[in-house]
Amino acid sequence: MLGSATILPQHIWIFALTFLAIIANRFFFSYSITGKAMRAALPIAARRTVGIDVKRMVLFSFVISSALGSLAGIIVAP
């Protein structure tokens, strides 16, 4: 009990895993070369000139979003 709200152990797991997912995304996009390439705010032609594979970055964005969506379904479903 927290005031008049009931906190179940499942809720703690949801908060903890969500926090870990946010921290993992932060580190990935801030410190990895792939994450920095995904955040590049240049036009597509400039990205290709620098050597960033645009199709691969789009694929990675879909992979990350599907992984986060499946994580959300796993932690909220029970």
Side-chain angles (χ1 to χ4, degrees), residues 2-70:
L2 183 63
S4 62
T6 302
I7 303 289
L8 299 173
Q10 177 184 352
H11 296 145
I12 296 171
W13 278 105
I14 291 170
F15 290 131
L17 290 175
T18 302
F19 181 73
L20 288 175
I22 291 170
I23 296 299
N25 270 328
R26 172 83 169 145
F27 279 112
F28 174 74
F29 285 111
S30 296
Y31 298 113
S32 73
I33 293 173
T34 305
K36 289 178 182 179
M38 290 177 74
R39 290 188 324 154
L42 302 172
I44 291 176
R47 290 181 201 171
R48 288 187 180 134
T49 304
V50 177
I52 297 172
D53 186 10
V54 176
K55 289 183 181 181
R56 195 167 115 191
M57 294 304 118
V58 170
L59 174 69
F60 282 155
S61 67
F62 277 102
V63 168
I64 291 171
S65 65
S66 64
L68 288 174
S70 63

